[in-house]
């Protein structure tokens, strides 16, 4: 349960524990998880299975060899009821027009099929891995919707995090710009699309932090004809329920996502079950695009992602694991700066040697970070700041435990830096609704101030605002919704670590556009792809 709720209601847990005893629930672990799921269902806690009786069946229910709260079933039932209201059906508009629009956006046959499906169905899910052109397809869907409906239709785009909202805004605008440069477009439509900016889901639904509620709901619905949601894998049942409740019955909903990505932190897996029809009486219309536009540029990266998805052991048996030698680090770190994208595998046997492991991060700082984040090497540190911040990123599955954790790596790197001479990446670890900075947003500490991008503008804050942490290394969960030029992925050194999973590995690898350096070993990598 969150610290905020504990602080505001210090006796709440104690009182609820006593209440649950009235329902003959005496096990404290079971009781704590029930309380968490009632108060904060977006932070899902599995309830250990036990035999229910007549008393506790009033608040609990058995489901597929597990126990759920009645509130969870209410949310799932509401999602299904709202889904049925979409009245999925075929639209008889002239498809030739939209095929022409698809060709103008230079869509592949797969993308064109997805475009037509989205126009024919009021609820549509588009899935695909990184580089498959989901956002380009979404741009064509939005443009076609305006042509299909009318130029005055209301269109909203949103994502679970500020970073994801920023990314899809940039990608959509690039697609629209390319289209406008080639084809004549009515000024009203052009202005509408050029001014289209994605928001966070919480902002779209007018979330009140003080009252812990969304002001947009069934009684006060969104004024929207088309809603596009990016990063569907980051949705929780609670958040999606709130979206569905706020959608008018006439609206069209398009969700973009990658079903192989991690589910949101502290939440049960939701996106894949939604796609498979486990939450609705009918299976939603879903289409996966598979052609990867980056495959020619980054064959090794594309091949790695494909083989993770396929759980192909033969691919991983052929991997050549390099051994690190600090004396040749100048040559070694060139693997992160290659013009031809590549994947490099580094044996992690040096992690147990603290001196050698710390030296690795020192050499990383001297060889890599110095070009992008060292102030003396930059004439104008504010020019291309955000490109510099995202050029190199260390990703871990662990936050606090062990030398492979983001906390340890950040501490080591910062020990080699002089505060006034470097740009420091910073990440927010909770939602600050007053400052408009949200959990996972990345900023930059520079010259005594901290900058964040808020609604497409740089905003300055004191460097000591609460909730900021170092972000030279961050967890894979925090990286969801982001892309980086080059990444270092540090796998857990313990093979049995519960975070050593296929979803974690796939999500980490898919964050990179170009070069990837994986620190681990064959047994850990094999364990991950089969977990």
């Amino acid at each position: 349960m969150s610290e905020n709720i504990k602080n505001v209601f210090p006796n709440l847990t104690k009182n609820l524990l006593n209440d649950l005893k009235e329902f003959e629930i005496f096990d404290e672990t079971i009781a704590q998880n029930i309380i968490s799921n009632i108060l904060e269902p977006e932070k899902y806690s599995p309830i250990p299975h036990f035999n229910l009786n007549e008393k506790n069946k009033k608040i609990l229910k058995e489901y597929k060899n597990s126990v759920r709260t009645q509130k969870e079933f209410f949310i799932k039932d509401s999602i299904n009821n709202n889904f049925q209201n979409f009245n999925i059906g075929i639209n008889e508009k002239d498809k030739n027009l939209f095929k022409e629009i698809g060709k103008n956006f230079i869509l592949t046959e797969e993308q064109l099929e997805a475009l037509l499906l989205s126009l024919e169905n009021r609820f549509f899910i588009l899935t695909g891995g990184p580089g498959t052109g989901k956002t380009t397809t979404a741009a064509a869907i939005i443009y076609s919707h305006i042509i299909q409906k009318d130029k005055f239709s209301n269109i909203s785009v949103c994502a679970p995090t500020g970073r994801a909202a920023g990314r899809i805004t940039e990608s959509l605008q690039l697609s629209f710009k390319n289209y406008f440069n080639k084809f004549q477009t009515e000024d009203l439509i052009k202005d509408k699309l050029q001014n289209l900016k994605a928001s966070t889901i919480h902002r779209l639904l007018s979330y009140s932090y003080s009252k812990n509620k969304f002001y947009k709901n069934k009684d006060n619905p969104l004024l929207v004809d088309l809603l596009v949601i990016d990063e569907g894998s980051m949705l929780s049942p609670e958040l999606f329920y709130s979206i569905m409740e706020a959608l008018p019955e006439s609206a069209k909903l398009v969700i973009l996502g990658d079903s192989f990505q991690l589910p949101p932190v502290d939440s049960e897996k939701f996106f894949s079950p939604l796609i498979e029809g486990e939450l609705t009486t009918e299976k939603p219309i879903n289409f996966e695009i598979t052609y990867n536009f980056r495959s020619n540029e980054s064959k090794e990266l594309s091949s790695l992602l494909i083989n993770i998805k396929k759980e192909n052991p033969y691919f991983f048996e052929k991997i050549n694991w390099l051994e690190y030698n600090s004396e040749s680090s100048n040559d070694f770190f060139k693997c992160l700066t290659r013009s031809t994208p590549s994947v490099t595998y580094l044996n992690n046997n040096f992690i147990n040697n603290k001196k050698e492991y710390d030296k690795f991060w020192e050499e990383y700082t001297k060889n890599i970070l110095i070009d992008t984040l060292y102030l003396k090497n930059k004439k104008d540190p504010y020019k291309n700041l955000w490109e510099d911040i995202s050029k190199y990123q260390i990703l871990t599955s662990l936050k606090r435990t062990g030398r492979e954790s983001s906390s340890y790596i950040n501490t080591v790197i910062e020990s080699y830096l002089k505060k006034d001479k470097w740009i420091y990446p910073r990440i927010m670890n909770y939602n600050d609704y007053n400052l408009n900075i949200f959990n996972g947003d990345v900023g930059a500490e520079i010259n005594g101030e901290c900058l964040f991008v808020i609604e497409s503008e740089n905003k300055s804050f004191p460097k000591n605002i609460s909730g900021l942490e170092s972000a030279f290394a961050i967890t894979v969960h925090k990286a969801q919704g982001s892309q980086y030029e080059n990444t270092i992925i540090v796998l857990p050194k313990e093979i049995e670590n519960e975070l050593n999973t296929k979803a974690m590995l796939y999500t980490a690898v898919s964050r990179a556009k170009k070069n990837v350096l994986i620190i681990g070993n064959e047994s850990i990598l094999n364990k991950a792809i089969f977990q």
Side-chain angles (χ1 to χ4, degrees):
M1 197 182 310
S2 75
E3 290 301 317
N4 287 336
I5 290 180
K6 287 182 180 178
N7 292 336
V8 175
F9 304 105
N11 296 320
L12 182 60
T13 302
K14 182 180 177 181
N15 292 337
L16 287 174
L17 285 171
N18 289 332
D19 288 342
L20 288 175
K21 289 176 182 177
E22 297 294 321
F23 292 96
E24 297 184 2
I25 298 170
F26 304 104
D27 185 288
E28 189 164 332
T29 300
I30 292 173
Q32 290 281 4
N33 289 2
I34 291 171
I35 292 169
S36 175
N37 290 348
I38 291 172
L39 297 178
E40 298 180 290
E42 72 280 5
K43 295 183 178 180
Y44 176 70
S45 301
I47 302 171
H49 189 269
F50 68 103
N51 293 325
L52 302 182
N53 58 37
E54 290 305 312
K55 278 199 171 184
N56 47 51
K57 278 183 179 177
K58 293 178 181 178
I59 59 170
L60 301 174
K61 195 171 180 179
E62 287 190 88
Y63 176 75
K64 292 185 177 180
N65 297 319
S66 67
V67 175
R68 303 292 184 103
T69 65
Q70 292 285 3
K71 183 173 182 179
E72 291 174 81
F73 276 95
F74 168 75
I75 289 172
K76 292 183 188 304
D77 288 343
S78 296
I79 288 173
N80 182 49
N81 291 337
N82 282 314
F83 172 78
Q84 289 177 311
N85 288 337
F86 269 78
N87 297 323
I88 292 173
I90 300 297
N91 189 301
E92 296 300 331
K93 288 279 187 179
D94 183 9
K95 292 184 180 180
N96 290 327
L97 171 63
F98 304 121
K99 285 181 180 179
E100 191 62 34
I101 291 171
K103 289 177 183 176
N104 293 346
F105 273 92
I106 317 178
L107 300 187
T108 64
E109 287 298 318
E110 279 187 328
Q111 290 173 305
L112 184 58
E113 187 173 348
L115 169 64
L116 295 176
L117 281 171
S118 75
L119 296 168
E120 294 170 352
N121 297 281
R122 291 191 51 238
F123 186 115
F124 177 66
I125 302 174
L126 176 63
T127 60
T132 53
K134 293 190 297 294
T135 310
T136 303
T137 311
I141 289 171
I142 291 168
Y143 185 87
S144 300
H145 174 83
I146 293 176
I147 301 299
Q148 181 189 32
K149 294 279 285 184
D150 65 71
K151 65 191 81 170
F152 301 104
S153 61
N154 293 312
I155 299 168
S156 291
V157 182
C158 64
T161 68
R163 282 174 306 149
R167 270 192 59 221
I168 192 171
T169 297
E170 291 174 8
S171 298
L172 285 173
Q173 288 305 323
L174 181 60
S175 294
F176 293 141
K177 183 180 179 181
N178 291 337
Y179 185 87
F180 299 149
N181 287 340
K182 295 175 184 174
F183 303 99
Q184 197 71 26
T185 308
E186 187 179 334
D187 287 343
L188 190 61
I189 295 175
K190 192 172 181 179
D191 289 343
K192 179 187 282 288
L193 295 178
Q194 286 177 329
N195 291 316
L196 185 64
K197 290 183 173 65
S199 71
T200 62
I201 294 171
H202 280 71
R203 187 174 300 159
L204 178 76
L205 298 180
S206 301
Y207 178 69
S208 168
Y209 177 66
S210 59
K211 296 186 178 180
N212 189 28
K213 67 181 244 183
F214 293 108
Y215 280 105
K216 291 295 181 181
N217 50 44
K218 192 178 284 292
D219 297 323
N220 180 31
L222 292 164
L223 297 175
V224 63
D225 298 303
L226 169 66
L227 176 62
V228 177
I229 304 174
D230 194 23
E231 297 292 346
S233 64
M234 297 176 71
L235 292 170
S236 65
E238 175 84 352
L239 192 55
F240 189 65
Y241 155 75
S242 299
I243 294 166
M244 296 286 276
E245 286 286 290
L247 273 179
E249 290 188 9
S250 59
K252 181 176 286 190
L253 177 63
V254 175
I255 305 175
L256 315 176
D258 184 348
S259 58
F260 285 89
Q261 299 277 351
L262 282 167
V265 66
D266 293 329
S267 177
E268 62 179 311
K269 197 167 187 177
F270 170 73
F271 191 51
S272 294
L274 176 67
I275 292 170
E276 295 302 319
E278 294 179 19
L279 304 175
T280 52
T281 50
E282 294 180 64
K283 193 173 180 179
I285 302 299
N286 165 52
F287 189 83
E288 181 182 9
I289 48 180
T290 58
Y291 178 79
N292 194 315
F293 291 91
R294 299 179 197 161
S295 58
N296 291 330
E297 300 173 5
S298 184
K299 292 181 180 178
E300 291 185 29
L301 183 57
S302 298
S303 179
L304 175 58
L305 287 170
I306 289 169
N307 282 284
I308 292 171
K309 289 166 72 171
K310 290 183 176 179
E311 299 181 357
N312 180 2
Y314 304 107
F315 173 83
F316 296 97
E317 287 174 2
K318 299 174 185 176
I319 287 174
N320 178 35
W321 290 88
L322 301 181
E323 302 293 331
Y324 178 70
N325 183 343
S326 60
E327 294 178 2
S328 58
S329 62
N330 288 344
D331 292 328
F332 175 80
F333 282 108
K334 288 178 182 176
C335 68
L336 289 171
T337 61
R338 289 172 182 153
S339 56
T340 302
S342 64
V343 181
T344 304
Y345 302 89
L346 178 62
N347 200 311
N348 69 350
N349 55 13
F350 66 105
I351 285 184
N352 293 323
N353 185 326
K354 184 180 186 304
K355 185 177 179 180
E356 189 175 357
Y357 184 65
D358 290 359
K359 182 71 174 175
F360 173 86
W361 296 116
E362 180 183 13
E363 295 300 319
Y364 167 74
T365 304
K366 289 179 180 178
N367 285 278
I368 297 297
L369 296 184
I370 198 162
D371 289 333
T372 54
L373 302 181
Y374 188 51
L375 288 173
K376 285 194 173 183
N377 287 342
K378 302 173 72 63
K379 290 181 180 178
D380 182 359
Y382 296 94
K383 185 179 181 180
N384 301 322
L385 174 63
W386 303 112
E387 289 88 342
D388 290 339
I389 287 287
S390 62
K391 190 167 185 180
Y392 301 100
Q393 185 63 61
I394 304 163
L395 300 177
T396 75
S397 53
L398 302 170
K399 185 173 183 178
R400 306 246 179 242
T401 308
R403 290 181 191 148
E404 64 269 47
S405 69
S406 60
S407 177
Y408 182 89
I409 295 169
N410 283 320
T411 301
V412 172
I413 289 176
E414 292 202 3
S415 70
Y416 299 122
L417 309 182
K418 292 185 178 179
K419 278 276 184 183
D420 58 341
K421 295 182 179 179
W422 288 80
I423 299 169
Y424 282 71
R426 296 289 185 239
I427 191 166
M428 193 64 162
N429 66 9
Y430 77 103
N431 294 328
D432 191 321
Y433 293 89
N434 292 322
L435 298 180
N436 221 9
I437 305 175
F438 301 98
N439 188 10
D441 285 351
V442 173
E445 184 183 322
I446 177 172
N447 294 329
E449 64 177 349
C450 202
L451 295 178
F452 279 87
V453 177
I454 297 177
E455 295 180 348
S456 303
E457 292 184 10
N458 286 348
K459 296 287 180 71
S460 176
F461 299 91
K463 65 179 182 179
N464 59 349
I465 60 175
S466 63
L468 290 186
E469 294 181 348
S470 182
F472 293 101
I474 63 175
T475 62
V476 179
H477 269 111
K478 291 284 190 185
Q480 283 183 276
S482 293
Q483 286 265 269
Y484 312 100
E485 283 294 305
N486 313 280
T487 62
I488 297 180
I489 301 168
V490 185
L491 300 179
K493 66 179 182 179
E494 302 298 335
I495 192 170
E496 296 302 325
N497 192 294
E498 62 179 4
L499 295 176
N500 190 31
T501 65
K502 180 172 75 171
M504 186 73 74
L505 178 63
Y506 177 88
T507 304
V509 173
S510 64
R511 298 306 87 204
K513 294 179 183 178
K514 291 176 68 175
N515 297 299
V516 176
L517 169 61
I518 297 176
I519 302 176
N521 59 52
E522 184 179 347
S523 59
I524 290 172
L525 200 57
N526 276 323
K527 167 68 164 47
I529 66 166
F530 292 113
Q531 184 66 23

